[in-house]
Amino acid sequence: MKSHLLILTVVSVLFPSCNQEGTIRKIDFTTEYKFNSEIENELNASSEPWKYQVSASDYATKGDYKNALKQWDLAMGARERNFSQNQIDSINAKYRKVNAIDFIVQQSKQTQVVIINEAHHNSHHRVFTKSLLRKLFDQGYSNLGLEALSYKDNLDSLHHIRKYPIQKTGYYIKDPQFGNLIREAIEIGFTVFPYETINSEADGKPREIDQARNIQEVINLKPNEKFLIHCGFDHALEGTHNSWEKAMAARLSEYTGINPLTINQVAYSEKGVPEYNDPFLKALAVKESSVILDQNDKPYKYERREAYTDIAVFHPNTQYINNRPSWLFENENQNVTIVLKDLEMKFPVMVLAFKNGEDINNAVPIDITEIESKTDTCTLGLKKGDYSIVITNGTESIQIEKQVN
């Protein structure tokens, strides 16, 4: 991504949502984020069976949660499954729902390591992990290990000078919600570290071993500190994995003697079409991110053959505001409207919000969305602060300074 400021004209524009005037400046700007049309063209040009997995990640990276879920449904062959009403009644009689954050924080007191997974197309999983940070930090957790964090970034700069993620911080970290997870962790006081294998040919069992050994090495350097590990999919599984013998979490327990608290966000997450949701998730009809307890107050585990996690998190169906997930506007984030109707630009446009002081040439945006028409409402999830809003159609671009009070 690159930008060279060319001040050609200055226009005042009123933004009613914050009662704040902004200055428009035309800039030369390019971005690696893809427009919907680019993603669709790549889909149509490919016959590879994994193409929908790629498109799901592409949509997630550019803040299009709804399309990311739908593409993953296509990749996984999602279909509708339902329980009978008797089964639904039985499930609700047997289990009760408790707030997932509160339960996880309470359980975290009993161990030195918490491991939580994500689906790589699901930005909400990253937002949920971010929502745990402050409370886990208050419980003594001060280290955050990220599978997605690249060794290519200048990690010393990330912690001590720059303190925000850039494009080369990691492929999945280009998702603004993953970038915000890192920003928040560093702001709170976490030490963020990578643990992915550096052997590009390692997969399956060797990869799990390398990941666990890399985490073990950091734990050995800080034996009295606590660790939150954020990983993808099956890496959080304990027990015996049907393909890898042991996943990273089980290997880490083997190497360190620590029994981690393992958490699965993936298994019971929503699908792009609510009717495709897991029947257990539909039966419980959760209204907030929840852990399910049985009649003995034992948490419902995720189990697959001989592999498991200690806890399964059940996330509710997402509600949308102007086609954007409502959870974008929680945890101190405001629903900020950017008025586009007076812009003399060809649409669609991509709207990217950067925190003032961060290099828009390289930084991961705070939020990003694509707008099809100037009559459509553009909303961003932003905390109080000063921002540079970049609006581009791929050919011409403008930058607006914006204050959120």
Side-chain angles (χ1 to χ4, degrees):
M1 186 186 293
K2 61 182 179 179
S3 170
H4 306 292
L5 185 61
L6 302 173
I7 304 179
L8 300 182
T9 183
V10 178
V11 185
S12 291
V13 179
L14 183 66
F15 295 106
S17 62
C18 292
N19 193 28
Q20 191 72 30
E21 289 188 354
T23 300
I24 295 179
R25 293 177 290 184
K26 188 171 183 179
I27 59 173
D28 182 18
F29 179 85
T30 60
T31 179
E32 295 181 5
Y33 292 95
K34 299 176 183 177
F35 282 89
N36 288 357
S37 58
E38 296 176 82
I39 299 174
E40 290 162 7
N41 288 340
E42 290 176 2
L43 267 173
N44 294 333
S46 175
S47 59
E48 297 293 342
W50 41 259
K51 66 179 182 178
Y52 295 113
Q53 295 183 41
V54 174
S55 59
S57 292
D58 284 341
Y59 277 118
T61 297
K62 58 167 294 190
D64 192 339
Y65 179 74
K66 186 178 291 187
N67 270 325
L69 293 185
K70 290 180 179 178
Q71 293 298 305
W72 195 257
D73 285 354
L74 292 171
M76 297 295 108
R79 59 186 177 83
E80 185 171 0
R81 295 175 295 149
N82 295 297
F83 286 144
S84 68
Q85 189 58 52
N86 285 341
Q87 289 174 307
I88 293 172
D89 292 342
S90 176
I91 288 169
N92 283 281
K94 182 179 180 180
Y95 297 103
R96 66 185 181 92
K97 296 162 274 196
V98 297
N99 180 275
I101 294 175
D102 293 342
F103 187 84
I104 289 168
V105 171
Q106 184 64 34
Q107 295 298 303
S108 74
K109 298 176 183 179
Q110 302 174 24
T111 185
Q112 186 182 358
V113 176
V114 173
I115 302 176
I116 185 167
N117 71 356
E118 69 159 33
H120 295 318
H121 67 284
N122 194 314
S123 300
H124 189 205
H125 293 163
R126 295 151 185 173
V127 171
F128 181 77
T129 296
K130 181 165 70 91
S131 71
L132 293 168
L133 292 177
R134 172 59 69 182
K135 291 187 177 182
L136 288 178
F137 188 80
D138 291 343
Q139 296 300 324
Y141 286 81
S142 56
N143 300 279
L144 173 62
L146 297 172
E147 175 190 312
L149 191 63
S150 172
Y151 292 92
K152 294 179 181 179
D153 193 4
N154 184 338
L155 299 177
D156 185 64
S157 176
L158 175 64
H159 284 105
H160 302 297
I161 303 171
R162 174 168 29 96
K163 296 187 178 182
Y164 63 87
I166 56 179
Q167 298 292 314
K168 67 179 182 180
T169 301
Y171 175 77
Y172 293 117
I173 291 169
K174 293 177 184 178
D175 170 10
Q177 302 315 315
F178 212 146
N180 293 336
L181 166 61
I182 290 178
R183 284 186 183 88
E184 182 119 337
I186 293 173
E187 182 179 318
I188 288 171
F190 278 86
T191 298
V192 179
F193 68 93
Y195 66 85
E196 179 61 281
T197 179
I198 60 173
N199 181 358
S200 60
E201 297 182 359
D203 201 3
K205 179 180 175 180
R207 183 185 179 199
E208 303 305 302
I209 290 172
D210 282 359
Q211 288 188 352
R213 287 297 191 192
N214 290 340
I215 298 170
Q216 179 195 18
E217 183 177 343
V218 181
I219 292 175
N220 287 344
L221 293 172
K222 304 177 177 184
N224 299 317
E225 297 186 18
K226 293 188 175 185
F227 295 80
L228 172 63
I229 308 298
H230 182 94
C231 64
F233 293 103
D234 278 9
H235 301 298
L237 293 179
E238 300 183 75
T240 302
H241 193 275
N242 61 321
S243 298
W244 306 333
E245 295 181 13
K246 292 182 179 180
M248 175 272 289
R251 293 287 180 192
L252 184 63
S253 181
E254 173 189 346
Y255 299 154
T256 63
I258 298 169
N259 181 19
L261 174 66
T262 50
I263 304 163
N264 194 314
Q265 293 192 83
V266 174
Y268 299 104
S269 288
E270 65 181 324
K271 302 292 191 294
V273 178
E275 288 76 15
Y276 293 167
N277 285 355
D278 186 280
F280 199 23
L281 176 62
K282 288 192 282 189
L284 289 163
V286 296
K287 302 300 182 185
E288 64 177 357
S289 296
S290 302
V291 170
I292 310 306
L293 304 182
D294 66 17
Q295 293 165 333
N296 297 314
D297 287 337
K298 298 294 183 183
Y300 185 85
K301 293 184 173 185
Y302 169 71
E303 295 178 293
R304 191 175 74 225
R305 298 181 183 177
E306 297 179 35
Y308 65 92
T309 59
D310 295 316
I311 297 172
V313 173
F314 291 73
H315 292 301
N317 289 337
T318 294
Q319 304 299 312
Y320 291 87
I321 301 172
N322 295 321
N323 216 36
R324 307 217 68 202
S326 60
W327 38 258
L328 284 177
F329 312 118
E330 299 173 354
N331 300 316
E332 301 181 10
N333 274 8
Q334 298 183 39
N335 185 339
V336 177
T337 300
I338 307 297
V339 180
L340 304 177
K341 64 182 178 64
D342 295 326
L343 291 182
E344 296 300 324
M345 293 179 67
K346 183 179 178 181
F347 280 69
V349 297
M350 199 177 295
V351 182
L352 306 94
F354 297 92
K355 191 175 181 179
N356 271 7
E358 296 186 359
D359 178 10
I360 67 171
N361 299 314
N362 296 297
V364 175
I366 299 290
D367 197 8
I368 182 172
T369 188
E370 181 175 336
I371 303 298
E372 292 297 317
S373 165
K374 65 172 59 182
T375 59
D376 293 339
T377 302
C378 174
T379 58
L380 299 171
L382 304 175
K383 292 183 176 181
K384 291 181 181 179
D386 296 324
Y387 297 90
S388 290
I389 309 298
V390 175
I391 304 170
T392 182
N393 59 17
T395 301
E396 55 182 336
S397 308
I398 61 171
Q399 182 177 347
I400 302 169
E401 301 305 314
K402 177 97 174 141
Q403 185 179 65
V404 178
N405 296 318

